[in-house]
Amino acid sequence: MTAHLPFKQAAFALLLASLLAGGCQSTGSETQTKQPDAAPATAAQPAPILGPLVTDIYTADPSAHVFNGKIYVYPSHDIDAGIPEKDDGSHFAMTDYHILSMDSVGGKVTDHGVALDLKDVPWAGRQMWAPDAAYKDGAYYLYFPAKDKQDVFRIGVATSTSPSGPFKAEPAPITGSNSIDPTVFKDDNGDYYMYFGGIWGGQLQRWSSGKYIQADTYPADDQPALSPKVARLADDMKSFDGAVQDVQILGKDGKPLLAKDNDKRFFEAAWLHKYNGKYYFSYSTGDTHNIAYAIGDSPVGPFTYQGVILKPVLGWTNHHSIIEKDGKWYLFFHDSSLSGGKTHLRSVKVTELKYNPDGTIRPIDAMVKS
Ligand code: FUB
C-alpha cells in the first residue's frame, strides 16, 4: 500500500499500514517492512522524514553504510528491561544487535534478525550500545561498546563474511579502547579511523587521566570541553595503530570549545563523513540535544564548529549517521515517537540531507509540524 503523506504523519501511517495491510512480513529470521511513499521535497520545502524503518522492534543509534550497492543500517536494539531511568543510562539495557537493510531510501526494509548477542561476547557484562560497521578485504567488522564484567565501557569488534551477520566476537575488547559510540571512517587512501567517546553514562569523564577512575571528573566551565577520541585502525581492523588522540573542536575564533559551550561542545554519538574534500565531524551535544558539526582538513582534526545539522528530536538522546547513495545525501537518526516519548525506546528514521553552495549543511527539524 502506498500513500502520499505529510511527513509527520508518515510514521503513524506506517504503523497503521503495517497492522492493517500486513506491512511487516516474516521470512525465517528475517522480517520485511514496507516504507510509505512521501511527497518529494521541493527547493523551498524541507525533505520528508521517513520511518520508523521498522515498527516491530525498537531501534536506535543508526550507523548506515552502503555495501554492495545496498544500504545497511547498524542500530542499537532498544528493549524495556524494566530498569528505572537514571543519569548513568542503566535503563538502556540492550542485549543484542539486529541489522536492517534496504535497496534504497523509501524501499522495503529487511530486519536480518539477531546478528550478535551479549551472551556470545566473552568479555561483555551488559549494555550493548551504539555500534558501527566497516568492510575490508572480504570481511565485515562490527564495532560495539558494552560494559565489561567490571562495569567499564569498552569497545569490542566482531567479524562476518556478510554485512548482515551473524558476527563472531573477538575474545577481548580492543586494547586502548574505552567509553562508547565507536564509528569507523574509511578515507580515500584506504586508511581507517575510529572515533569514540561519550560523556556521563558513556564514562568519558572517567578517563581524563588516561586511566579509568570511578569518580566523574569534568573540566571547569572556562576550560576546554572533554574531547572525543580518534585512533587509526591497524591492518587487522581489530586493534589501534598508534596512540589514541583527542579530537579538537574549535570555535570560529580558533580556540577550543569550552565546557560551558553546552549547545556546541561534544557529548556523544560521533560520525565522520567527507564532502567535497573536507572532513565533517558530527556529534550529539547531549544535554542540549543537538546534532552539531565541525569541518576540518584532516581526518584527525582539528575541526571548526559550523552549526546544527539536526535539532532536538522527541526523546532525550540524539544520534545520527550520514551517507551518500545514488548522488543524494541522507541523515539517519532516531526519535521516541513510536513509544510515545520513552527515552530508551527509540525508532530509526531517515531524511535527505542538503548542503548549501558553501558546503554548510541545512539544519533539519524533525519536530516541525507539516
Ligand atoms: O543507545 C545508548 C546511547 O544513547 C548511545 O550510545 C548514545 O549515543 C545515545 O544515543
Side-chain angles (χ1 to χ4, degrees):
M1 188 169 93
T2 58
H4 290 273
L5 297 167
F7 328 143
K8 295 309 291 177
Q9 292 169 18
F12 300 102
L14 171 62
L15 181 58
L16 266 182
S18 299
L19 292 171
L20 296 176
C24 269
Q25 290 177 345
S26 275
T27 45
S29 63
E30 294 189 350
T31 309
Q32 296 196 328
T33 304
K34 287 179 187 167
Q35 290 298 290
D37 286 350
T42 66
Q45 279 181 329
I49 308 285
L50 292 180
L53 296 188
V54 292
T55 53
D56 54 344
I57 59 170
Y58 290 109
T59 53
D61 309 324
S63 291
H65 290 275
V66 179
F67 293 134
N68 309 320
K70 279 177 82 138
I71 299 171
Y72 288 85
V73 182
Y74 298 82
S76 299
H77 174 199
D78 282 355
I79 53 168
D80 195 350
I83 296 171
E85 193 159 332
K86 266 175 74 180
D87 261 6
D88 74 355
S90 306
H91 51 303
F92 293 91
M94 299 82 112
T95 59
D96 64 19
Y97 295 110
H98 283 228
I99 293 158
L100 312 177
S101 72
M102 66 205 87
D103 287 334
S104 57
V105 167
K108 221 186 264 173
V109 178
T110 300
D111 171 356
H112 295 272
V114 176
L116 181 67
D117 196 298
L118 184 65
K119 68 176 167 34
D120 299 321
V121 183
W123 57 268
R126 61 177 179 142
Q127 292 182 290
M128 296 180 108
W129 284 12
D132 193 15
Y135 170 80
K136 185 180 173 189
D137 297 340
Y140 294 87
Y141 298 85
L142 181 71
Y143 299 96
F144 59 97
K147 280 186 181 156
D148 65 14
K149 312 275 192 209
Q150 287 72 46
D151 239 18
V152 177
F153 266 116
R154 305 278 180 184
I155 295 168
V157 56
T159 54
S160 176
T161 52
S162 162
S164 57
F167 284 85
K168 182 164 173 37
E170 291 294 304
I174 296 176
T175 303
S177 73
N178 58 62
S179 197
I180 59 164
D181 291 0
T183 185
V184 171
F185 165 74
K186 180 188 180 189
D187 207 349
D188 301 332
N189 65 359
D191 285 347
Y192 290 80
Y193 296 87
M194 180 185 287
Y195 306 80
F196 58 93
I199 298 174
W200 292 358
Q203 302 178 337
L204 188 62
Q205 69 281 1
R206 297 183 176 183
W207 288 91
S208 305
S209 69
K211 289 199 171 131
Y212 182 78
I213 295 170
Q214 183 116 17
D216 294 337
T217 308
Y218 298 100
D221 278 0
D222 60 353
Q223 293 301 305
L226 289 175
S227 298
K229 308 294 171 198
V230 60
R232 190 162 42 191
L233 286 175
D235 281 349
D236 67 0
M237 298 290 277
K238 297 174 184 171
S239 55
F240 294 152
D241 179 16
V244 172
Q245 298 174 43
D246 282 351
V247 174
Q248 267 207 314
I249 306 173
L250 310 175
K252 291 265 168 68
D253 59 3
K255 295 184 183 153
L257 293 182
L258 302 180
K260 68 181 174 196
D261 295 326
N262 276 50
D263 56 335
K264 297 191 179 82
R265 56 97 184 94
F266 173 84
F267 188 93
E268 62 185 1
W271 186 258
L272 198 287
H273 77 280
K274 204 169 178 179
Y275 177 76
N276 279 350
K278 297 276 186 194
Y279 298 87
Y280 287 61
F281 182 77
S282 44
Y283 53 92
S284 168
T285 59
D287 52 359
T288 49
H289 316 286
N290 293 314
I291 296 295
Y293 74 110
I295 297 180
D297 293 315
S298 152
V300 296
F303 300 96
T304 302
Y305 179 84
Q306 302 294 323
V308 169
I309 297 176
L310 178 63
K311 295 182 182 174
V313 297
L314 182 64
W316 197 94
T317 64
N318 206 347
H319 196 119
H320 73 302
S321 62
I322 294 168
I323 58 163
E324 184 184 18
K325 173 88 167 70
D326 301 330
K328 287 187 171 183
W329 288 85
Y330 295 100
L331 176 84
F332 287 77
F333 65 100
H334 66 223
D335 72 15
S336 297
S337 55
L338 186 63
S339 69
K342 293 200 176 84
T343 55
H344 64 300
L345 296 179
R346 303 157 293 178
S347 301
V348 172
K349 296 184 171 182
V350 58
T351 190
E352 196 178 336
L353 177 126
K354 296 185 179 191
Y355 297 87
N356 296 309
D358 65 357
T360 56
I361 293 174
R362 292 196 211 162
I364 294 165
D365 187 349
M367 302 269 272
V368 163
K369 298 242 181 313
S370 58

